[in-house]
Amino acid sequence: MTPLLYSVKMRSSLGGSHGVGGRHISGAERIVPEDGLEEQVIAMLRRARTHERGRADFIQVKVGEIKEKDIMTCPLIPVYQMDTRTKSEGRKAAKKELLRIGVSKAAVESAFRELESLTDSMRGAIVMDAVTGERLDDRAERGVRCSNMDCEDTALYEARMAEKGLGGDHPREALVLASKVAYGPGTVAELCWSDDPDYVTGYVGSKKFGYGRITVMKDMGDPVGGRVFFVEHGTDVARYDDYMQNQVVLVRMGE
Ligand code: AMP
């Protein structure tokens, strides 16, 4: 019998809970077998209380059993790299890559206009028509959140990816998210740079070419990040949003 799987989600803040004055500190989610559940809950509590953004004083941990029939899988998209030295080089490389994937010039320009005019980070991603550049999500600073995904086999992931410098929580979370997004119903491409002030690397993701890591895409110290999901013209946004938020996806390692 396949082991029972559990979703474990954590979010933490400082100075109160989210929405009532608290400042967001960290969030994380994993999908783990029953025998790793307790260890995972402890690891998340620790993460919230030793985070570089501060020591959270409000921590929520949510645990839920996952039904096997609700699980989908998709492959981990392959990683390739574009070496850039400055923000402008990086953004130029990202634009070129998006055009190569098949996003229209109008949509590429619209996406950069949207992201570059943000004064504060959004919580989720902008959804954009990859042909017209029209913004399809209507939730201003929230955007569409991608959730409920993890590696099918984290130990195998770590064993394969550590030597490529892609081991550890942050690279794994970004790659797993980018894989779920790339295999979303209607996704053409994704564009991302982080809101972590010390993390200047970004990426362009797609099912066509994989995870195109761009070494420098913003200035050091810049706390504003963002994501855009480019979708096929005519994509049903409600269905897309539902897949991103609710569909459980386990990401398989390739051969
Ligand atoms: P991060 O890579 O976590 O620094 O996030 C960069 C930006 O991506 C954030 O400012 C959000 O706009 C967006 N983002 C972060 N997490 C998610 C998510 N789970 N789903 C969709 N967008 C996200």
Side-chain angles (χ1 to χ4, degrees):
M1 207 181 96
T2 356
L4 269 183
L5 290 179
Y6 286 87
S7 146
V8 189
K9 294 182 179 171
M10 177 278 288
R11 62 180 201 157
S12 68
S13 53
L14 183 60
S17 66
H18 290 86
V20 288
R23 183 166 64 88
H24 175 73
I25 293 293
S26 71
E29 62 168 277
R30 298 301 310 265
I31 294 172
V32 293
E34 190 168 21
D35 63 4
L37 179 58
E38 290 176 17
E39 191 188 333
Q40 191 53 242
V41 170
I42 290 167
M44 283 195 183
L45 285 176
R46 192 167 298 142
R47 184 164 162 171
R49 295 166 68 241
T50 56
H51 202 272
E52 62 219 4
R53 287 163 67 98
R55 185 177 183 280
D57 57 7
F58 183 86
I59 306 169
Q60 261 181 320
V61 177
K62 206 159 82 178
V63 177
E65 189 184 305
I66 296 177
K67 307 271 176 279
E68 206 178 333
K69 66 172 176 46
D70 295 331
I71 301 173
M72 260 174 73
T73 67
C74 79
L76 187 81
I77 54 176
V79 181
Y80 60 104
Q81 182 157 313
M82 285 158 272
D83 289 308
T84 55
R85 284 163 306 177
T86 60
K87 165 175 153 179
S88 82
E89 248 182 55
R91 294 194 182 180
K92 212 166 128 192
K95 288 177 186 171
K96 204 167 143 200
E97 197 56 11
L98 288 165
L99 292 173
R100 187 169 83 97
I101 294 163
V103 178
S104 77
K105 191 158 184 288
V108 172
E109 280 168 6
S110 166
F112 275 84
R113 242 189 343 263
E114 291 279 355
L115 289 187
E116 287 173 349
S117 64
L118 290 175
T119 49
D120 197 3
S121 293
M122 292 172 56
R123 288 200 53 234
I126 290 170
V127 179
M128 185 168 281
D129 186 313
V131 178
T132 64
E134 184 193 350
R135 186 166 167 180
L136 303 173
D137 64 291
D138 56 1
R139 280 170 290 180
E141 82 300 349
R142 185 174 189 276
V144 167
R145 292 277 300 170
C146 182
S147 180
N148 290 302
M149 64 279 174
D150 204 343
C151 281
E152 188 177 50
D153 184 340
T154 307
L156 180 63
Y157 176 94
E158 290 297 337
R160 295 246 187 100
M161 305 303 269
E163 67 209 34
K164 296 183 193 167
L166 296 166
D169 286 342
H170 284 105
R172 191 195 60 248
E173 283 166 6
L175 250 174
V176 164
L177 184 146
S179 300
K180 176 176 174 181
V181 171
Y183 279 86
T187 302
V188 175
E190 178 190 358
L191 167 68
C192 169
W193 61 82
S194 176
D195 46 34
D196 178 343
D198 300 327
Y199 195 72
V200 295
T201 300
Y203 68 85
V204 167
S206 68
K207 191 158 67 176
K208 202 165 180 181
F209 299 126
Y211 185 95
R213 190 164 182 270
I214 301 175
T215 49
V216 179
M217 240 176 117
K218 65 169 203 185
D219 293 326
M220 192 59 117
D222 183 352
V224 184
R227 268 191 166 85
V228 178
F229 300 159
F230 296 94
V231 296
E232 285 162 10
H233 187 65
T235 296
D236 178 339
V237 183
R239 209 179 130 232
Y240 191 74
D241 190 5
D242 185 46
Y243 167 88
M244 288 302 166
Q245 292 230 40
N246 304 318
Q247 176 64 55
V248 177
V249 174
L250 291 181
V251 178
R252 299 186 304 268
M253 294 298 292
E255 294 315 309

